[in-house]
Each structure stands twice: as structure tokens, then as C-alpha cells.
Amino acid sequence: MIKLPIGLDIDNLIDDLRRFSWEASDTLLYYAQIVKDSNNKINILRNDINEDPVTLADLKVNETIIKRINDKYGHINWQILSEENAKIESNNCNIDSDWLWVLDPLDGTKDFIQGTGNYAMHLALNFKQKPYIGFVLIPDKNQLWISDGKKTWCEKRDGSKYEPILLKNRNLHEMTL
């Protein structure tokens, strides 16, 4: 069984990450309102690379999540691998660290810019290169998906929860897309 670093409790960690995620949701929804006005889209773009755009929303969520983790858990010896930071400096963290956070602050930036609502924030904590806990925030659907390695569930902003219906004993040939 994997044990968190000394002084950490999985439930408290999930509670903190839940708060950090909903704060990120507020940021993403704020910028999503801005991009609805096509005249404002140019104001939030930070590069004009069509294949890999970066927006103020990407950067702000990146900054918020990293700051919250570092402020709350700065005493823990773990690394944070962020898509946005890796674009700036490819060797900005030790990816071979036992404990590694992996963050994509805005997955689906093109959809975000187009206003489709098909975007999310992804955050995971890996132990020895294997997922330990994971969060997927879908602001436009008011959903925060959480997995603690044992179970997976979805929460709404009001705290209501539901578990997905997972099919067991299915193989790839039986699945339909």
C-alpha cells in the first residue's frame, strides 16, 4: 500500500484539491465569458500559435493551482510538472521524483477559445510514475471528477456527489463508440 508523505492525510488532501479546483473553475468561467465576445478573444490570447494556443485562462489557472499546492504543502518533497511551465522551460522539474503532480490547467484551449464548453482542467498526483489521485474539472458542466485510486466519483459545486455506472468484464471488441 502506498503511503502519502508523513503528515498528509488523503481525505484532507482531497478536500484541499477540491477547493483549489473550484477556484480554478471560477477563473475558467470568468475567462469563458470574456471569449464569448469575439472582440475580446484577442485580449486573452498570449500567443498566436494555431496548433497550441495559450490564453490568460491557461496561465492564471496554472499559477493558482501551483501556488495553492506550494503554499499549503511547500514542506513536502514533490515536484509539479505543468504543461504551461514545460512550454517555457523543459527541465523545470524532476519528472523522476517519487511524488509528481501533473497539471494541464486548460485542456481543450481551442474549444475554450471557440466557446464550445469542451474544456477541462486535469490534475494528478503520481507516485513512482503511477497515478495515485486524479482530478478532472469540467467547469461548463459543473463537474469535478475525482479518483482516489480505489473509487471514482463526480461532485457538483454544491457538494452533491454521484458515482458513475461502470461496466465490468467488458472487452474492447464489445464496446461501441
Side-chain angles (χ1 to χ4, degrees), residues 145-175:
W145 288 89
I146 303 170
S147 177
D148 66 2
K150 296 175 189 156
K151 61 183 186 237
T152 300
W153 68 96
C154 181
E155 298 184 5
K156 300 287 188 178
R157 186 81 179 246
D158 65 7
S160 60
K161 300 177 184 178
Y162 64 90
E163 292 187 24
I165 299 169
L166 301 175
L167 302 175
K168 296 186 189 271
N169 301 324
R170 300 288 263 172
N171 68 46
L172 187 58
H173 296 12
E174 295 173 330
M175 295 182 185

Side-chain angles (χ1 to χ4, degrees), residues 5-69:
I6 294 175
L8 289 183
D9 171 77
I10 186 74
D11 295 324
N12 291 336
L13 181 60
I14 288 173
D15 286 344
D16 289 334
L17 294 169
R18 179 184 292 116
R19 282 192 305 280
F20 304 163
S21 295
W22 288 120
E23 184 178 350
S25 179
D26 291 341
T27 300
L28 291 169
L29 290 170
Y30 169 78
Y31 284 105
Q33 285 299 314
I34 292 174
V35 298
K36 283 184 179 178
D37 179 351
S38 62
N39 294 327
N40 288 330
K41 286 182 186 181
I42 194 71
N43 295 331
I44 70 158
L45 284 172
R46 285 298 158 248
N47 72 18
D48 58 359
I49 302 170
N50 225 12
E51 298 79 36
D52 193 17
V54 175
T55 68
L56 282 174
D58 291 88
L59 300 174
K60 183 64 177 168
V61 169
N62 187 67
E63 175 187 316
T64 298
I65 295 297
I66 291 172
K67 181 175 180 2
R68 296 293 177 262
I69 290 171

Side-chain angles (χ1 to χ4, degrees), residues 22 29 117-118 138-144 154-156 162:
W22 288 120
L29 290 170
N118 295 323
I138 309 171
D140 273 26
K141 292 184 178 182
N142 186 31
Q143 294 178 342
L144 179 59
C154 181
E155 298 184 5
K156 300 287 188 178
Y162 64 90

Side-chain angles (χ1 to χ4, degrees), residues 45-167:
L45 284 172
R46 285 298 158 248
N47 72 18
D48 58 359
I49 302 170
N50 225 12
E51 298 79 36
D52 193 17
V54 175
T55 68
L56 282 174
D58 291 88
L59 300 174
K60 183 64 177 168
V61 169
N62 187 67
E63 175 187 316
T64 298
I65 295 297
I66 291 172
K67 181 175 180 2
R68 296 293 177 262
I69 290 171
N70 285 335
D71 286 352
K72 182 76 181 193
Y73 300 105
H75 62 287
I76 304 296
N77 185 25
W78 50 30
Q79 298 287 307
I80 302 175
L81 174 63
S82 160
E83 179 185 23
E84 302 314 319
N85 291 358
K87 289 176 184 175
I88 297 167
E89 180 186 344
S90 61
N91 294 324
N92 68 339
C93 79
N94 177 7
I95 62 170
D96 294 320
S97 174
D98 280 353
W99 291 99
L100 177 69
W101 288 101
V102 180
L103 171 63
D104 186 348
L106 179 52
D107 183 34
T109 303
K110 289 180 193 177
D111 281 304
F112 180 80
I113 293 167
Q114 294 168 2
T116 68
N118 295 323
Y119 62 91
M121 179 198 77
H122 298 270
L123 178 63
L125 178 59
N126 291 344
F127 178 70
K128 295 191 177 186
Q129 301 184 356
K130 291 194 171 40
Y132 182 72
I133 58 175
F135 287 75
V136 176
L137 171 71
I138 309 171
D140 273 26
K141 292 184 178 182
N142 186 31
Q143 294 178 342
L144 179 59
W145 288 89
I146 303 170
S147 177
D148 66 2
K150 296 175 189 156
K151 61 183 186 237
T152 300
W153 68 96
C154 181
E155 298 184 5
K156 300 287 188 178
R157 186 81 179 246
D158 65 7
S160 60
K161 300 177 184 178
Y162 64 90
E163 292 187 24
I165 299 169
L166 301 175
L167 302 175

